Amino acid sequence: MAPTVSTVSPSQGPTTGGTTVTITGAGLTGATAVRFGGTPAASYTVNSSTQITAVTPAHSAGSAPVTVVNPTGTSNSVPFTYVTAALPTVTAVTPSTGPMSGGTTVSVTGTGLTGATAVSFAGTPASFTVNSATLITAVAPVGSAGAAEVVVTTPGGQSAVSPGSYFFYAASPVLQSAVPSLSPTAGGPTVTLTGSNLLNASAVLFGSTNATTYTVDSSTQISAKAPAGTGTTQITVVTPGGTSNPLPFAYVAAPTLTGLAPTGGPTSAGTVVTLTGTGFSTATAVQFGMTAVGFTVVSDTQITATVPGGPAGPVTVTVTSGGGTSTGLTYTRVAAPAI
């Protein structure tokens, strides 16, 4: 009894051939040939007496009768339609940058994307979903820093590389230093961050707080205004390449100055004064009026400083630290008695 063919799925494919089709029917065991319009299939496998898997040969556009031959005869025919499939095109990849670790979901737009069988980034296969003839959603695989051509394969062939078909893998940002590494709790100082791969930064974070004002000076430097905060935290930078390593940063309260000993002295330089208060451990300056003087931080509550020479009368003493400047106390210079 001759074999019979009931269905061919899919029922159409490109004129270039290469479509894998499933032929169902009866009496298919022992098939010696599968033909598409008289042309032998490129290859075929007899799965069972009711199913054959075949790869279509090249054929001119139009309907081609599919038949199966075995020692008992030739089956009835079921049509398979050959269509002229246009090559797919990729016109844009959005977003066009992402980390080397992969995982970025991108929209691949173009034409002729229906039936896509593969999407690759620089030759590496990507997972993807065909949304329409003009849109594919793909997940970027792991890649190397630099440009990666995005290629879509359909039954019509592979898309050609175009200016809009590139995805750029960005290296991870690296931070090396933050100067200064302290700020008043109210924020405000400009912090210079140095490192590498800092271009296109989308955020500079002090803990979880984004610095609302920052400038990417170069691939190795960012200037950021510290936002308000408290306690110790970490600075990180976010770029298309990911999130950088953290650098320590601390918010400190302004120092308080509560005592001077002695509170006065001669107009000549050289008197050593002991300053008492709080928040002195990060002191950066001690001033008598407008004059900065040498000082020694004895502890968080004590500093010793040498009074500069100056005219007789009161002068305001202040301490400045990473947290700001203290309120002032008065030191009085007394002129030597006239003889």
Side-chain angles (χ1 to χ4, degrees), residues 81-94:
T81 303
Y82 280 93
V83 295
T84 303
L87 284 173
T89 65
V90 174
T91 56
V93 177
T94 307

Side-chain angles (χ1 to χ4, degrees), residues 182-280:
L182 300 173
S183 169
T185 55
T190 297
V191 179
T192 300
L193 303 172
T194 57
S196 57
N197 306 321
L198 303 181
L199 291 177
N200 301 312
S202 57
V204 177
L205 300 173
F206 288 70
S208 59
T209 303
N210 191 14
T212 56
T213 303
Y214 66 89
T215 302
V216 179
D217 305 310
S218 68
S219 65
T220 60
Q221 181 174 299
I222 291 176
S223 300
K225 182 178 180 181
T230 58
T232 58
T233 188
Q234 295 177 327
I235 302 175
T236 54
V237 172
V238 181
T239 74
T243 300
S244 74
N245 58 296
L247 289 180
F249 191 79
Y251 288 95
V252 294
T256 62
L257 182 57
T258 58
L260 299 175
T263 59
T267 56
S268 59
T271 301
V272 176
V273 175
T274 299
L275 292 71
T276 55
T278 61
F280 291 165

